[in-house]
Amino acid sequence: VVIGIVLGLIFGLANSGKKTFEYDNMKITLTEDFTETDVNGWEFCFTSKDTTIFGRKETVKDYPLLESFSLNEYSKLVLSNTKIDSSVELNKHNDYYYFSYVSNNVGGKGDVMYYAIMFDAPDGFMIINFSCLTEKVEELAPQIFEWADSVRFK
């Protein structure tokens, strides 16, 4: 009985501080530090002190040509339509594609690193942007990929 209680406390503490957010048929597990907010031009946004996560879904219903696209093709299209440095490369991580880039002096707050991550959703594709100040990238990049790995669709 004591072992069960101790294990329960250990596993409970390991999961404490996590919070699941939902948008449409997508779920993402972040931390309790995040709140849901609005950002112009995007369908959802979650912010914390150091990180902003925002995204949107592009459905086959809205864009019928997407039906013939693979996730890789869609991701290449997103990258080619983004007005960033041509040296930026598309990468694969687990079951999604991503690219990263820096925007200088965003809102007077400093340089921001963006990770644009594309997911295959049941009814199309979803792009989720994870961003933080470049000075925080070393600390936050592993966490950003952990959050991206937590994305699930119903």
Side-chain angles (χ1 to χ4, degrees):
V1 173
V2 172
I3 292 174
I5 292 171
V6 171
L7 287 175
L9 285 172
I10 290 170
F11 288 115
L13 290 175
N15 287 323
S16 69
K18 293 186 178 184
K19 183 176 177 182
T20 300
F21 291 85
E22 293 185 35
Y23 169 76
D24 195 48
N25 62 357
M26 183 270 304
K27 288 184 177 187
I28 184 171
T29 302
L30 305 171
T31 65
E32 292 176 342
D33 299 329
F34 281 87
T35 57
E36 194 165 353
T37 188
D38 292 324
V39 66
N40 198 17
W42 296 90
E43 295 174 1
F44 62 89
C45 182
F46 311 114
T47 60
S48 71
K49 182 178 74 131
D50 294 322
T51 311
T52 300
I53 300 168
F54 53 96
R56 73 171 159 256
K57 183 190 286 188
E58 296 187 322
T59 66
V60 172
K61 179 182 173 190
D62 293 332
Y63 305 99
L65 288 176
L66 289 178
E67 190 167 35
S68 65
F69 279 59
S70 68
L71 177 58
N72 181 273
E73 292 166 329
Y74 171 76
S75 300
K76 286 178 181 177
L77 180 66
V78 170
L79 177 56
S80 70
N81 286 333
T82 305
K83 308 263 189 275
I84 55 175
D85 185 338
S86 62
S87 69
V88 172
E89 294 182 9
L90 188 64
N91 302 287
K92 185 168 182 9
H93 182 81
N94 295 334
D95 58 348
Y96 53 83
Y97 288 87
Y98 75 95
F99 58 90
S100 57
Y101 61 97
V102 173
S103 282
N104 297 333
N105 198 23
V106 176
K109 296 180 181 178
D111 296 346
V112 173
M113 172 68 82
Y114 291 92
Y115 293 89
I117 303 181
M118 285 68 61
F119 296 90
D120 206 351
D123 50 352
F125 299 99
M126 184 168 284
I127 179 169
I128 304 177
N129 293 282
F130 295 76
S131 64
C132 66
L133 291 173
T134 55
E135 64 197 42
K136 295 279 192 173
V137 167
E138 191 172 318
E139 171 189 344
L140 292 173
Q143 184 68 59
I144 285 170
F145 284 100
E146 184 179 317
W147 293 328
D149 289 342
S150 79
V151 170
R152 299 287 180 263
F153 295 92
K154 300 178 201 174

